[in-house]
Amino acid sequence: AQSVTQLDSQVPVFEEAPVELRCNYSSSVSVYLFWYVQYPNQGLQLLLKYLSGSTLVKGINGFEAEFNKSQTSFHLRKPSVHISDTAEYFCAVSSGAGSYQLTFGKGTKLSVIP
Amino acid sequence: NAGVTQTPKFRVLKTGQSMTLLCAQDMNHEYMYWYRQDPGMGLRLIHYSVGEGTTAKGEVPDGYNVSRLKKQNFLLGLESAAPSQTSVYFCASSLPHNRLREQYFGPGTRLTVT
């Protein structure tokens, strides 16, 4: 079985400050990890994904995430946030060679303060 | 190319009424999914389909039925709506045997059961 824990339900941060949104996963097999963003009253949009290879993954809108197998983490970072980054962020995991199902975390609401 | 569309966008039902939510995708994706999103719960998989004519249960299937008669459409039915089914419903689709494993989401249907 696979699971995802997003350690913070809400993260307030001032504009132009750095931010880290934390995600830990559990799985007994190889994993594929994703971060999705949901802007108010919209669907989910893929920010970035880790499938294999380099553990540092760069995504859209200046976000990046680092896969850490020993710590079973996939934290999302941005060096300088903008008001437009205010949204809810979801970490998700898909594990196993034949599975295409995603298990989502409960989400982290990022609020950027002017 | 509209991607994934959902009909309707909003709906209010009374307890015991029935309805069908329609999901359509024009990307020729083989796999389709229905999720529900509740505050603080993230997204939870209701049912999914790996191809035309096939469906399977996800994490929270009780009270819902699905059908995939055409490859591009995935229907979610509520036979007798309950207040606990008040939620935002998202449909998603993806390609099989795809190393990208990315799911594409629709804009959501907000359902209120009174």
Side-chain angles (χ1 to χ4, degrees), chain B residues 29-70:
Chain B
H29 284 175
E30 202 68 34
Y31 287 19
M32 296 186 75
Y33 314 81
W34 275 108
Y35 294 90
R36 61 177 289 172
Q37 182 182 28
D38 303 292
M41 299 293 292
L43 277 78
R44 293 180 292 170
L45 183 65
I46 305 172
H47 286 279
Y48 65 100
S49 168
V50 299
E52 184 178 322
T54 69
T55 62
K57 293 180 180 180
E59 180 186 355
V60 289
D62 293 342
Y64 304 95
N65 56 76
V66 288
S67 64
R68 183 96 180 270
L69 300 179
K70 293 182 179 181

Side-chain angles (χ1 to χ4, degrees), chain A residues 38 51 94 96-97 99-101, chain B residues 37 40 48 97 99 101 103:
Chain A
Q38 184 181 32
L51 303 178
S94 172
S99 172
Y100 293 87
Q101 295 184 46
Chain B
Q37 182 182 28
Y48 65 100
H97 311 299
R99 292 186 67 252
R101 292 176 175 252
Q103 291 188 16

